[in-house]
Amino acid sequence: MERRKTLDEVREIFAGDRFATENGAVIEEIGEKSAVCSLVLTPGHRNAMGAVMGGTYFMLADFAFAVAANWERMGCVSLRSDISFLGAARGERLIARATCIKDGRTTACYRIDVTDEHGNLTAAVTTTGYYVGK
């Protein structure tokens, strides 16, 4: 049986996801086919109206999906993602929780909820992943 990776080892692996990490995404937790990632908001994450840019929510959700789907074994890529923006973030931090809701032979489906630091649901994402070489 293969040794389970530590959180620090997973963070080191996903440091290679430079777009997410250079924009502030951090892996907070890992679990069986799940992950929690967060992001401290900066002025660079905001649009002209001062609200969080939609791409910020999506980037964090996509990163959480990537970590959840691949930290145990690499090979799952996104085929399709749907995002619903549900409310404006309050505070200075976003949290994305990715959970596998179906793990099939060649595809998987993940639900990613993005909340602000106060627990308000700001975006809901559903991502279908494909296992390369499975």
Side-chain angles (χ1 to χ4, degrees):
M1 185 171 177
E2 190 176 321
R3 180 183 66 83
R4 185 177 168 119
K5 293 178 186 89
T6 67
L7 182 58
D8 285 337
E9 289 170 328
V10 172
R11 286 177 175 155
E12 187 175 322
I13 291 165
F14 285 93
D17 278 3
R18 292 182 52 202
F19 184 79
T21 58
E22 289 178 10
N23 276 287
V26 174
I27 303 168
E28 299 290 348
E29 298 174 25
I30 50 173
E32 186 175 337
K33 298 187 185 327
S34 67
V36 177
C37 298
S38 69
L39 172 75
V40 174
L41 296 167
T42 68
H45 294 114
R46 299 191 180 274
N47 61 24
M49 296 188 320
V52 176
M53 185 72 127
T56 302
Y57 295 104
F58 186 79
M59 177 272 297
L60 184 61
D62 189 52
F63 185 59
F65 158 74
V67 173
N70 290 289
W71 78 264
E72 294 172 280
R73 184 179 66 86
M74 284 290 179
C76 190
V77 297
S78 177
L79 282 178
R80 178 186 174 99
S81 291
D82 295 301
I83 187 167
S84 294
F85 299 102
L86 304 172
R90 307 280 185 246
E92 297 304 316
R93 190 166 169 257
L94 293 177
I95 300 106
R97 290 175 174 80
T99 305
C100 183
I101 56 177
K102 174 66 176 167
D103 188 28
R105 188 175 56 81
T106 57
T107 61
C109 186
Y110 281 76
R111 167 73 189 256
I112 306 100
D113 289 335
V114 182
T115 62
D116 63 20
E117 65 193 76
H118 305 292
N120 300 309
L121 187 61
T122 58
V125 180
T126 303
T127 298
T128 301
Y130 174 73
Y131 291 108
V132 177
K134 187 173 179 181

